[in-house]
Amino acid sequence: MTDAPPQHVLLEDLGLRVYLDKRKSILRHYQDLFVQRYGATLQGEVIEIGGERAYGHERFFPRASKYRCTNIAREHDEYLDVTAMGLADASVDAFVCVSVLEHVFDIRTAIHEITRTLKPGGRLLLVVPFAFPQHDEVDFWRLCADAYPRLLEGFKIDAFVHLGGLFSTIADNLKRPKDRVTKRYFFHKLLGLGVVMLFRHFETLDGIPLGFGIQATRCG
């Protein structure tokens, strides 16, 4: 089993601009910061699993020689099923998998395929939600931090990042209601606004982040 490094929290200030942004959740804000920070070092061919062209993640990998956006649906460069990729053993320089594994029922097979096809020394950027609502067509998993060193056997975990903490989680869940405009809708929005204004500077490492960001290297 691979031991994880000390965990830390993404401490970028949760500002009002982030809370009031209608285009994306606070989790997506944090995951973009994570991928931008750790993706800047990836080299060679980068394959994103479960990506969507609309998100424009290619910009986060300035040193990559090639970027491939793959998925089994929606707008992508090519079809690729993470549970049966059909790629040669030890053939991939880097994988990026952002908020995808929660939608994959056979998660162990997915991790096996990623491990099988990565080159020794190849890199994996993995983002997964934790205290985030059920979303999309199917949504199966929310795994605690202790699960990932066991799942990622054969990897050295270089960084294990909490995407926000308690106050980010509260604010994002209050920001999210998308139902028709009601008193409850406005109450949630205003309560979340108050959380951001009063408590955003008290964010710290705790057990209820919005998600996790993991950078790992395939062992030889």
Side-chain angles (χ1 to χ4, degrees):
M1 182 178 70
T2 301
D3 292 330
Q7 299 174 31
H8 63 279
V9 64
L10 199 61
L11 285 175
E12 272 75 2
D13 183 30
L14 173 59
L16 294 180
R17 178 185 61 82
V18 175
Y19 181 76
L20 296 174
D21 188 346
K22 296 180 180 179
R23 298 169 301 170
K24 59 184 181 181
S25 66
I26 296 171
L27 173 61
R28 185 165 297 281
H29 167 73
Y30 281 138
Q31 73 184 23
D32 283 355
L33 287 175
F34 173 83
V35 176
Q36 181 179 30
R37 177 174 299 173
Y38 291 95
T41 65
L42 297 186
Q43 300 184 53
E45 184 178 49
V46 174
I47 298 178
E48 181 170 4
I49 298 167
E52 293 185 44
R53 296 297 302 172
Y55 292 145
H57 286 174
E58 185 173 4
R59 70 191 188 277
F60 295 142
F61 313 108
R63 301 179 66 185
S65 59
K66 185 178 181 180
Y67 165 81
R68 294 160 61 186
C69 177
T70 72
N71 207 324
I72 60 173
R74 301 175 183 173
E75 186 181 357
H76 53 273
D77 294 331
E78 59 189 90
Y79 181 95
L80 189 70
D81 181 348
V82 68
T83 63
M85 290 197 281
L87 302 174
D89 293 354
S91 62
V92 178
D93 296 309
F95 278 121
V96 178
C97 187
V98 180
S99 291
V100 173
L101 289 187
E102 69 271 23
H103 306 300
V104 179
F105 187 75
D106 197 353
I107 191 170
R108 286 190 174 275
T109 297
I111 295 295
H112 171 78
E113 278 290 275
I114 290 171
T115 305
R116 178 185 67 79
T117 54
L118 263 182
K119 297 176 180 178
R123 309 287 287 280
L124 169 65
L125 288 190
L126 178 64
V127 177
V128 288
F130 183 64
F132 190 76
Q134 181 176 337
H135 60 281
D136 220 327
E137 296 175 9
V138 292
D139 189 346
F140 300 113
W141 306 112
R142 296 293 185 273
L143 301 177
C144 294
D146 290 345
Y148 293 98
R150 291 178 176 269
L151 280 174
L152 296 174
E153 290 189 66
F155 283 85
K156 176 182 179 292
I157 297 180
D158 306 304
F160 197 109
V161 181
H162 285 218
L163 305 181
L166 173 63
F167 299 116
S168 295
T169 295
I170 293 172
D172 201 17
N173 278 271
L174 291 170
K175 165 187 168 75
R176 280 185 57 81
K178 297 179 180 180
D179 52 355
R180 59 190 178 86
V181 176
T182 62
K183 291 181 179 179
R184 175 180 176 273
Y185 175 92
F186 282 115
F187 176 73
H188 279 197
K189 296 290 186 183
L190 289 174
L191 190 58
L193 185 64
V195 170
V196 172
M197 293 178 66
L198 294 174
F199 300 113
R200 59 185 175 174
H201 299 297
F202 295 93
E203 199 76 280
T204 187
L205 184 70
D206 57 41
I208 190 165
L210 281 164
F212 303 111
I214 301 166
Q215 178 183 266
T217 301
R218 177 75 169 92
C219 298

